[in-house]
Amino acid sequence: MIKRFFAVALSVVMVICCTACQKSYSHIEGYDDVVNARKLYASLNSASLTVTDAEKGTVTQEMNFAYDVQDRLAYSYFGTDGEVNYYEYHNGYEYCYFDKTEWKTLTEGDENYHFYTRMAKMSMVDEGMIFLKGESITASEVKDSANGKIIEMTYDHKALNSSMKNQLGLVGNLISFKVIYTLDKEGYLTKMEQIGKASRDDTQSIVTNINYVLEITNMNDVAKIEKPEVILES
């Protein structure tokens, strides 16, 4: 259920399709740092995620997750495309989603029921949530900060348009694209900014600015997962 909704946001589309890179690109400045940050993220016991459309100043996704003692994943999720809001909740055993006016609950044995574990991960809590495509990086710069380091990677937009054609269908072709990764002193990613421009036609008569910000907080510090608060659409 949740994967279908991800297509509404470029940030998430790009994050999900980026699976673990098999080839080494250690010669790229900061590359190994991001690879390590991906591994650290996938190893978290719990965390909170927020995705913001910085162009509009609106939160497009929120998620809290935590593994229980059985290594089952519990999570709460909110997402929106600006028109339709979507809510999910999973306590590790019951899968719930909000359908128009009420919560629907599925349990093991029901059609469309699913659950996730530390071994069978949900995409949003796995390495691929942190975008990285080494073969498409054209430039990289690393700057030390008071809290860790900031890595800015510029990507070949034409290469991404080719390799991610299906995922980019909703926004058109990229004209430019870069990612800024903020890591703390222990190497964990605390923020990822995806910045670029896209156009739906070859003439680039209408250009859309892209600026999505993923923030990761409460790492290994989420005590309880509760259903997201539902805001009914008018």
Side-chain angles (χ1 to χ4, degrees):
M1 300 284 286
I2 198 169
K3 289 183 178 179
R4 293 203 297 267
F5 188 80
F6 286 163
V8 304
L10 173 65
S11 171
V12 179
V13 169
M14 305 193 85
V15 163
I16 284 180
C17 77
C18 187
T19 55
C21 305
Q22 298 178 354
K23 187 176 179 180
S24 174
Y25 295 93
S26 295
H27 62 283
I28 298 175
E29 190 176 11
Y31 181 85
D32 285 346
D33 291 315
V34 179
V35 169
N36 182 58
R38 286 160 58 101
K39 293 178 180 178
L40 289 173
Y41 173 69
S43 73
L44 290 173
N45 292 316
S46 64
S48 300
L49 312 179
T50 303
V51 177
T52 302
D53 182 344
E55 282 293 309
K56 298 179 181 178
T58 58
V59 172
T60 60
Q61 297 182 87
E62 290 181 323
M63 180 176 176
N64 295 305
F65 74 86
Y67 290 99
D68 67 11
V69 294
Q70 302 285 330
D71 276 345
R72 287 206 176 201
L73 181 72
Y75 68 86
S76 64
Y77 173 83
F78 158 76
T80 182
D81 61 359
E83 297 181 359
V84 179
N85 295 336
Y86 187 79
Y87 304 88
E88 281 196 13
Y89 168 75
H90 205 310
N91 64 12
Y93 302 87
E94 295 176 319
Y95 165 63
C96 309
Y97 63 96
F98 194 79
D99 183 21
K100 296 181 181 179
T101 60
E102 62 181 355
W103 284 98
K104 300 290 181 67
T105 300
L106 302 178
T107 58
E108 193 165 354
D110 291 339
E111 185 178 0
N112 295 323
Y113 172 79
H114 60 268
F115 68 92
Y116 302 97
T117 68
R118 201 178 292 275
M119 295 299 294
K121 287 182 175 291
M122 175 201 279
S123 56
M124 282 192 80
V125 303
D126 206 356
E127 293 184 19
M129 189 64 185
I130 301 175
F131 183 82
L132 182 67
K133 290 180 73 70
E135 70 277 14
S136 301
I137 297 170
T138 58
S140 183
E141 181 181 9
V142 179
K143 294 180 179 179
D144 291 329
S145 68
N147 298 316
K149 61 181 63 177
I150 298 173
I151 303 169
E152 181 174 322
M153 292 182 174
T154 302
Y155 285 84
D156 182 343
H157 63 279
K158 293 182 179 179
L160 294 181
N161 287 336
S162 176
S163 65
M164 300 171 61
K165 185 175 181 179
N166 291 335
Q167 295 95 325
L168 291 170
L170 291 173
V171 296
N173 289 323
L174 294 172
I175 300 171
S176 65
F177 189 72
K178 68 178 180 180
V179 182
I180 301 174
Y181 310 87
T182 300
L183 311 184
D184 67 15
K185 291 182 178 180
E186 295 180 334
Y188 288 89
L189 183 123
T190 59
K191 182 166 69 172
M192 179 178 70
E193 302 170 75
Q194 295 180 322
I195 303 169
K197 296 181 181 295
S199 177
R200 288 181 177 273
D201 58 56
D202 294 334
T203 63
Q204 298 182 10
S205 59
I206 300 177
V207 175
T208 302
N209 291 324
I210 299 165
N211 192 342
Y212 283 98
V213 180
L214 165 68
E215 294 178 279
I216 304 173
T217 59
N218 301 321
M219 287 183 273
N220 293 327
D221 197 30
V222 177
K224 185 178 181 180
I225 303 297
E226 299 180 341
K227 283 183 179 180
E229 181 181 354
V230 173
I231 300 176
L232 295 177
E233 301 164 36
S234 57

